[in-house]
Amino acid sequence: MNYKSVLLSVLCVGFAANTFAQANLLNAKTPDEIGKKSEAQLAMDNDKPLEYGYVDDRDILFSKMTWEKVVLDERVNFPLYFPVDTNNIGKDRRSLYDVLLKNVKNGKIANLYDDSYFTAKHTLKDIESALHKVDTLDIGYQQFNAEGKVDPEYITKRDIQSYDISAYLIKGLWFFDKRQGELKYRILGIAPAAPDVNFIDSEDQANKEPIALFWVFYPEVREVLHQAKAFNNKNSSMPFSFDHLLNSRRFNGYMYKEENVYGDREVKDYVADNALMQLLESDRIKEKIRDFEQDMWSY
């Protein structure tokens, strides 16, 4: 009886916390009232990211740093990619890239990094060249040579949009917690990746390779990602937060690098020009990590 009561209470609290995404939807008299919480709801709202437990360095029996590429063409990764067209959709529905970029611009994400080692900080101004391109048409150059000026219609601008993001790069640490007796995973960094903005509209497939636009240290952005919700295809009244989605590994990625004695070289550096063998090598790295936990036990 007690177990049933506890389970029912947990389910009710979880449902209440997740229905806030469409607060007051059924009671609204006008569209402006949709999404506005009452004073009682605001008082009850204590929705924060689930805190990570403290892990002492002495409790880490084994660890392996890995880098994964999450390709957004795969259906399981669609919640990270869509929606890409926000003209005809509510403000509560945004892609992960739009959430990151919006909070970079408004200052809630203050620290951007050049690489996954978080050694060099960037500002929004520093990454402008990776997000925007300004070019002049040939007729614009002709006009400049003849008249010394270029009309605005001969200048083209191209910005990286959410539909240009083709992958996410995720850095994380697999570790075996000997106190808990289990293998765990902790995300350390994430980066949206898109083709080089200067060649993004090229037909050459070599120019379609995604590169990281910027890196963010994941623990710093958890609050932002918790406030933003991803679409739940099975139950739209209970959306996932991006923080929940990523921490629970509700995505599919392949490991393109692991820390190693060769200066953390990538898989493609020693398995060249063979996509199938690179995928098999990624699976081998995964199995090597999982086998450590299995080998801890004897039957």
Side-chain angles (χ1 to χ4, degrees), residues 168-186:
Y168 283 94
L169 308 182
I170 296 178
K171 177 185 179 181
L173 182 72
W174 293 91
F175 65 96
F176 187 87
D177 188 339
K178 67 180 182 181
R179 185 178 295 274
Q180 299 292 331
E182 62 179 326
L183 186 69
K184 298 181 179 180
Y185 178 73
R186 185 75 61 85

Side-chain angles (χ1 to χ4, degrees), residues 13-229:
V13 171
F15 179 79
N18 283 286
T19 52
F20 286 164
Q22 293 179 335
N24 205 37
L25 177 63
L26 300 181
N27 300 315
K29 299 294 190 298
T30 63
D32 294 338
E33 296 180 2
I34 298 176
K36 292 184 179 180
K37 301 179 185 179
S38 65
E39 293 184 1
Q41 287 176 318
L42 291 173
M44 293 175 57
D45 190 3
N46 189 26
D47 191 20
K48 296 181 179 179
L50 183 64
E51 293 186 8
Y52 291 142
Y54 176 76
V55 181
D56 194 284
D57 291 340
R58 294 173 295 181
D59 294 333
I60 300 177
L61 185 64
F62 161 84
S63 68
K64 175 65 73 173
M65 193 81 69
T66 61
W67 287 258
E68 296 177 85
K69 179 180 286 186
V70 179
V71 180
L72 299 182
D73 284 343
E74 299 184 37
R75 185 175 295 275
V76 68
N77 298 329
F78 280 178
L80 298 174
Y81 180 66
F82 290 101
V84 293
D85 184 3
T86 59
N87 291 328
N88 299 311
I89 202 166
K91 294 181 179 180
D92 58 325
R93 296 275 306 278
R94 290 296 181 268
S95 67
L96 178 56
Y97 175 72
D98 284 336
V99 171
L100 290 173
L101 190 60
K102 174 186 175 182
N103 286 278
V104 167
K105 291 181 177 179
N106 64 23
K108 290 185 178 180
I109 298 179
N111 298 321
L112 305 177
Y113 298 90
D114 182 51
D115 56 27
S116 60
Y117 297 97
F118 312 113
T119 53
K121 285 187 178 181
H122 279 336
T123 63
L124 179 59
K125 185 177 180 180
D126 294 331
I127 65 172
E128 287 291 333
S129 60
L131 302 179
H132 310 287
K133 178 185 72 170
V134 179
D135 199 3
T136 304
L137 300 175
D138 292 339
I139 191 172
Y141 285 111
Q142 295 174 7
Q143 183 188 28
F144 181 79
N145 293 331
E147 304 176 14
K149 65 176 184 177
V150 180
D151 292 336
E153 62 263 26
Y154 301 140
I155 298 176
T156 60
K157 297 181 180 180
R158 179 69 160 88
D159 298 332
I160 294 290
Q161 302 291 340
S162 56
Y163 56 80
D164 296 314
I165 304 300
S166 56
Y168 283 94
L169 308 182
I170 296 178
K171 177 185 179 181
L173 182 72
W174 293 91
F175 65 96
F176 187 87
D177 188 339
K178 67 180 182 181
R179 185 178 295 274
Q180 299 292 331
E182 62 179 326
L183 186 69
K184 298 181 179 180
Y185 178 73
R186 185 75 61 85
I187 298 178
L188 298 178
I190 186 170
D196 189 332
V197 68
N198 296 300
F199 307 102
I200 195 169
D201 297 318
S202 171
E203 298 297 331
D204 188 357
Q205 288 301 316
N207 294 323
K208 298 295 184 180
E209 182 67 21
I211 57 176
L213 301 176
F214 56 85
W215 282 88
V216 293
F217 187 59
Y218 189 78
E220 290 183 332
V221 301
R222 288 194 65 206
E223 182 67 36
V224 167
L225 297 183
H226 183 73
Q227 297 299 325
K229 305 300 181 182

Side-chain angles (χ1 to χ4, degrees), residues 1-16:
M1 181 69 180
N2 292 333
Y3 290 114
K4 292 183 179 179
S5 300
V6 171
L7 180 60
L8 182 60
S9 300
V10 171
L11 290 176
C12 291
V13 171
F15 179 79

